[in-house]
């Protein structure tokens, strides 16, 4: 890949890592023989989406002079035009994306307070916005946060009651466990 294209990707790396659906891009690039099956397998071996995205970016930037064009085409063919525009310098799309990001930050408190995470995670996984591995990781982190809160608040009996009332009594630990 040419230095100017590597620089464009480096400049936009954070946005690419945050927003890209690398799974679709990898399949496209494998089908076009831009990436080998082995490279694709190494990327898919990562269980967290942003790590998959980082690995794809690292891999594609080490490819030949046409790699950037193939990468942009892959983004376009996988309905990720906002990222394609970002790399090809179309500022209107960038502003639209930043506007949405600003709105999310502005309403963060309300979203955190009122959003049903299980429903949102289910929809994001169903629509392939998040990989199943990423959804599992988020659920593990959520469970870890719940356990940390229970431990720091010293509210074990309330936690046991909550498990039982949500048909998860089998997860209650006996005193001799």
């Amino acid at each position: 890949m040419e230095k100017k294209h590597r620089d464009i990707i480096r400049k936009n790396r954070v946005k690419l890592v945050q927003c890209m659906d690398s799974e679709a891009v990898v399949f496209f690039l494998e089908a076009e023989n831009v990436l080998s099956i082995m490279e694709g397998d190494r990327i898919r071996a990562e269980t967290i989406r942003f790590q998959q995205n980082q690995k794809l970016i690292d891999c594609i930037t080490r490819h030949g002079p046409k790699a950037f064009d193939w990468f942009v085409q892959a983004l376009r063919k996988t309905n990720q035009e906002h990222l394609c525009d970002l790399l090809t310098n179309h500022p209107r799309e960038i502003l639209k994306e930043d506007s949405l990001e600003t709105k999310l930050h502005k309403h963060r408190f309300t979203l955190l307070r009122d959003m049903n995470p299980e429903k949102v995670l289910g929809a994001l996984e169903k629509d392939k916005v998040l990989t199943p591995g990423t959804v599992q990781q988020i659920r593990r982190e959520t469970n870890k946060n719940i356990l940390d809160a229970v431990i720091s608040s010293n509210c074990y009996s309330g936690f046991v009651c909550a498990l039982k009332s949500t048909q998860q009594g089998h997860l209650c630990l006996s005193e001799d466990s």
Side-chain angles (χ1 to χ4, degrees):
M1 181 176 290
E2 295 178 30
K3 181 184 179 332
K4 68 179 181 180
H5 292 141
R6 282 194 308 271
D7 290 344
I8 291 169
I9 289 175
R10 186 178 63 247
K11 179 181 162 204
N12 295 291
R13 184 179 181 97
V14 170
K15 193 69 103 177
L16 288 167
V17 167
Q18 290 173 340
C19 301
M20 183 171 48
D21 174 8
S22 58
E23 188 173 358
V25 173
V26 168
F27 283 123
F28 178 85
L29 294 173
E30 284 176 328
E32 297 297 330
N33 292 315
V34 177
L35 293 179
S36 70
I37 299 297
M38 188 180 298
E39 288 170 316
D41 288 344
R42 274 192 230 119
I43 294 165
R44 282 187 293 274
E46 297 295 335
T47 57
I48 299 173
R49 181 177 165 186
F50 76 86
Q51 290 174 334
Q52 289 176 343
N53 292 349
Q54 287 177 325
K55 192 158 269 195
L56 171 58
I57 292 167
D58 292 343
C59 185
I60 200 73
T61 55
R62 290 191 297 266
H63 275 261
K66 295 287 184 189
F68 182 81
D69 295 332
W70 279 109
F71 183 53
V72 170
Q73 184 177 352
L75 290 170
R76 185 167 282 118
K77 294 284 188 179
T78 58
N79 299 315
Q80 299 181 72
E81 288 86 3
H82 62 291
L83 296 176
C84 183
D85 292 345
L86 188 70
L87 297 177
T88 57
N89 203 15
H90 288 74
R92 280 176 293 162
E93 287 298 317
I94 295 169
L95 291 174
K96 189 188 301 180
E97 184 71 22
D98 287 344
S99 167
L100 178 58
E101 190 173 326
T102 301
K103 286 179 185 177
L104 287 173
H105 283 290
K106 183 177 178 183
H107 298 286
R108 181 181 177 89
F109 176 77
T110 303
L111 287 167
L112 290 172
R113 183 190 65 209
D114 298 339
M115 183 173 58
N116 180 326
E118 270 309 307
K119 287 183 178 179
V120 173
L121 280 174
L124 291 171
E125 184 176 16
K126 180 180 168 250
D127 295 341
K128 298 187 185 311
V129 174
L130 297 177
T131 66
T134 301
V135 170
Q136 288 176 345
Q137 179 67 30
I138 292 169
R139 285 185 176 129
R140 280 192 294 269
E141 283 298 313
T142 301
N143 290 345
K144 178 188 176 301
N145 291 338
I146 291 170
L147 290 176
D148 290 347
V150 166
I151 291 168
S152 69
S153 301
N154 203 14
C155 57
Y156 304 108
S157 59
F159 178 63
V160 169
C161 288
L163 285 174
K164 289 178 180 177
S165 71
T166 58
Q167 290 73 45
Q168 299 179 79
H170 64 283
L171 296 173
C172 296
L173 301 175
S174 64
E175 291 183 21
D176 50 319
S177 296

